[in-house]
Amino acid sequence: GSDQLHNSIPAIIASGDALGLTGSQAAGHRSNYGIGAELRIPVISMLTADVSGRYDDYRFAGNSAGKFTYKLGLEFRPIDTLLLRGNYATAFRAPDLVNVFGSNGFFTSDTDYYLCRQKGYGPGAGANNYQNCPQATSQFFGNNGSSSNLNDVTAKTLTFGGVYSPIEKLTFTADYQRVQIKNEVTQLSVDQLLQNEADCLLGMTIGGAPIDPNSPSCKLYESLVQRSPANAKTNPNGLISVNTFPVNASSESESGVIASAKYTADLGRFGSLGLDANYYVEFKHLYQQFPGDPVINIYHDPRYTDWKSTISGSLTWNIGNWSATLFGQRYGSIPNAGQNATLPPWILYNGSLKYSFDSDAAIQLTVNNIRNTKPPVDRTQTNFPYYNTYNYNPYGRAVWAEFSFHFGAK
C-alpha cells in the first residue's frame, strides 16, 4: 500500500512575513506491505488455543521499519454455561506522516530562563523568584517541526476474563485489560528546551553543576532557539523563536475492567424486551512524558480530566413491525478548572422509534439528548463557554427522521 500527505499554506505565511499568522504544512509519502496468519488449535475438548502473527514493513523518507507482532490466546470451557478466556498480544504503530513530514507554527509565551538567570532570578521563593522577572512571560514564535528518525510506537496488551450464561438469553461478561505503550511520540518541551539552553549559555545548571557549552547537546539546544542580537535596540538577546521536533520519549500504561450484561425477555403477544448494560472503569493510568520525569497517575492528579468510569445501557422493545429503544450514557466525575473539587457526572439519553413496512423498507424517528442536558457548569472556569470543552460537547437535543429502503436480492 501507499500513503501520501500534502498540505500547503501560502508562501507569505510559510516565510513568516505575514504578521500574526501561521499554519501547518506537510508533504511526503510512505509505502508499506504486510502479511499475517492465524490458527485456532483445539488442544483438548475444553481448551482451544488461538495463535496469530503478522509482519509489516514501512518505508518513508529514505528509512525503512519492519515489525513482527503476535497474539497468543486461550479459551477454556469447563461447563457449557461458562467460558474463561485470556490473551497476550503485541502491537505497533508506524510514525505518523505529519510527524515525519510536517510542521506547525504557533505563538506562545514562556519564561526566558537565560535572561532571568543572568539577572539573578531563579526558582526559589522571595523577590528573586522567576515570576518577578521582567522576562517571565516572554512572547515568541514557535514551530513544531518533524523528524525522519522516529521509531515505531510499541504496545503490549494482556486481557483475561470470562463469559457466563446461566440461562438462555442471559449473558454476563467481564474482562480485565492492561495496556503498556512505549516510545510514544511527543514534542520536545518548549519549557524544558529553554531551561537546557540557559544551562548551556551560562555553563552551569540552576543547581551549579558545570555544563559543557560545546557539547553536541548544547549545540542542538542553541540551534533550536533564535535570539535577537546583543546590540539590538529593543529586547537585546531576547527570544524570537523556538523550534521543537517530535521524539519517541513518552510511556503510558492503563488497566481496567470492562463488564456487560445482556438479557432478552419473551413477552408473548406483547413482543420482546431486550436489556443491554455496559460498564468500564480504569484502575490506573500512568504517564511519563520524558525518561527521568516523574510518573504521573492521571486519576490522582487534578490537572488531568480523563473519564475514570463510564456506564451505558439500552432498553429495546420489539412488537410486530415496531421497535423502540431508549439508550443512556453516564460519564463519571472529573476535576474542575480550579482543581479544588469535582464536577457532577454527565448523563445523556437517546431514543428511537422504528416501523418496518417489510424486510426492505423502514422509517425511523431518532432523538439524541432527549432531556437537552447541558454540560455541568464549572464556576471556577474563567473563560467562555465556562465548561471543559475537551470532555463535554455543546450539542443539545437533535431530532431527525430517516427512511431506508434496501434494493436488490433478499
Side-chain angles (χ1 to χ4, degrees):
S2 177
D3 300 307
Q4 296 191 17
L5 175 66
H6 182 74
N7 177 39
S8 62
I9 57 177
I12 190 173
I13 295 179
S15 65
D17 293 333
L19 184 62
L21 294 179
T22 186
S24 303
Q25 56 183 333
H29 74 278
R30 72 180 176 197
S31 59
N32 67 281
Y33 70 84
I35 184 171
E38 181 176 4
L39 292 174
R40 284 184 63 84
I41 306 170
V43 181
I44 57 176
S45 60
M46 293 186 297
L47 183 65
T48 302
D50 187 352
V51 181
S52 61
R54 179 183 175 92
Y55 180 80
D56 290 271
D57 183 90
Y58 285 82
R59 300 179 183 274
F60 55 90
N63 296 331
S64 63
K67 184 70 67 174
F68 175 75
T69 53
Y70 63 90
K71 176 182 176 181
L72 305 173
L74 290 174
E75 294 182 355
F76 179 62
R77 190 180 289 275
I79 55 177
D80 290 342
T81 58
L82 177 64
L83 172 66
L84 302 177
R85 59 193 180 185
N87 65 69
Y88 176 81
T90 62
F92 87 100
R93 179 183 177 185
D96 190 285
L97 287 180
V98 173
N99 286 324
V100 175
F101 300 108
S103 65
N104 173 51
F106 60 93
F107 298 94
T108 188
S109 63
D110 206 323
T111 301
D112 188 335
Y113 294 99
Y114 170 58
L115 292 184
C116 288
R117 285 172 58 181
Q118 261 195 336
K119 297 175 181 178
Y121 294 95
N128 290 331
N129 184 271
Y130 277 133
Q131 65 182 10
N132 297 318
C133 173
Q135 285 78 30
T137 55
S138 296
Q139 297 183 351
F140 51 91
F141 177 74
N143 183 68
N144 290 328
S146 57
S147 174
S148 60
N149 296 317
L150 291 172
N151 297 320
D152 299 323
V153 181
T154 60
K156 299 177 181 179
T157 303
L158 174 66
T159 304
F160 59 85
V163 182
Y164 180 52
S165 301
I167 60 174
E168 187 180 3
K169 298 182 179 179
L170 174 62
T171 303
F172 299 98
T173 67
D175 291 282
Y176 170 85
Q177 178 177 281
R178 186 179 183 211
V179 180
Q180 290 182 299
I181 306 174
K182 293 184 178 180
N183 290 332
E184 282 190 306
V185 176
T186 184
Q187 289 287 338
L188 192 62
S189 165
V190 170
D191 186 80
Q192 187 62 51
L193 177 58
L194 290 175
Q195 292 187 53
N196 293 343
E197 184 235 10
D199 290 344
C200 293
L201 292 177
L202 297 171
M204 68 178 66
T205 67
I206 190 68
I211 293 292
D212 180 6
N214 296 314
S215 66
S217 296
C218 280
K219 294 301 182 184
L220 172 63
Y221 298 141
E222 293 176 26
S223 70
L224 296 173
V225 179
Q226 181 184 4
R227 293 181 174 275
S228 58
N231 59 356
K233 293 183 179 179
T234 59
N235 194 27
N237 282 329
L239 290 171
I240 296 177
S241 66
V242 175
N243 295 304
T244 70
F245 54 88
V247 292
N248 294 103
S250 299
S251 61
E252 194 166 2
S253 65
E254 296 181 56
S255 62
V257 166
I258 305 172
S260 68
K262 295 183 180 181
Y263 179 64
T264 303
D266 187 353
L267 304 180
R269 65 189 182 94
F270 294 105
S272 65
L273 194 64
L275 174 66
D276 188 349
N278 300 276
Y279 175 63
Y280 176 68
V281 58
E282 279 197 338
F283 297 144
K284 188 178 291 186
H285 185 174
L286 304 180
Y287 177 73
Q288 184 184 41
Q289 184 170 25
F290 293 100
D293 284 353
V295 177
I296 298 170
N297 187 347
I298 285 178
Y299 295 124
H300 292 173
D301 193 319
R303 295 173 299 173
Y304 294 86
T305 59
D306 289 24
W307 306 114
K308 181 176 176 60
S309 66
T310 57
I311 302 174
S312 65
S314 64
L315 189 64
T316 301
W317 180 31
N318 294 301
I319 180 169
N321 291 358
W322 291 92
S323 177
T325 299
L326 177 65
F327 173 83
Q329 177 89 41
R330 179 189 184 275
Y331 299 92
S333 300
I334 62 171
N336 64 4
Q339 301 179 12
N340 56 12
T342 57
L343 300 172
W346 193 39
I347 304 175
L348 302 175
Y349 295 97
N350 303 333
S352 66
L353 181 64
K354 181 179 180 180
Y355 180 80
S356 300
F357 297 97
D358 54 34
S359 59
D360 288 329
I363 189 170
Q364 178 172 306
L365 177 68
T366 302
V367 182
N368 276 2
N369 195 355
I370 295 173
R371 300 178 61 189
N372 198 30
T373 303
K374 298 177 175 60
V377 175
D378 185 354
R379 302 192 183 282
T380 64
Q381 180 70 254
T382 58
N383 298 318
F384 181 83
Y386 308 110
Y387 67 85
N388 187 322
T389 57
Y390 294 99
N391 289 73
Y392 308 107
N393 66 63
Y395 306 134
R397 184 185 299 113
V399 182
W400 71 92
E402 179 181 359
F403 176 77
S404 60
F405 186 83
H406 176 259
F407 295 91
K410 298 290 185 181

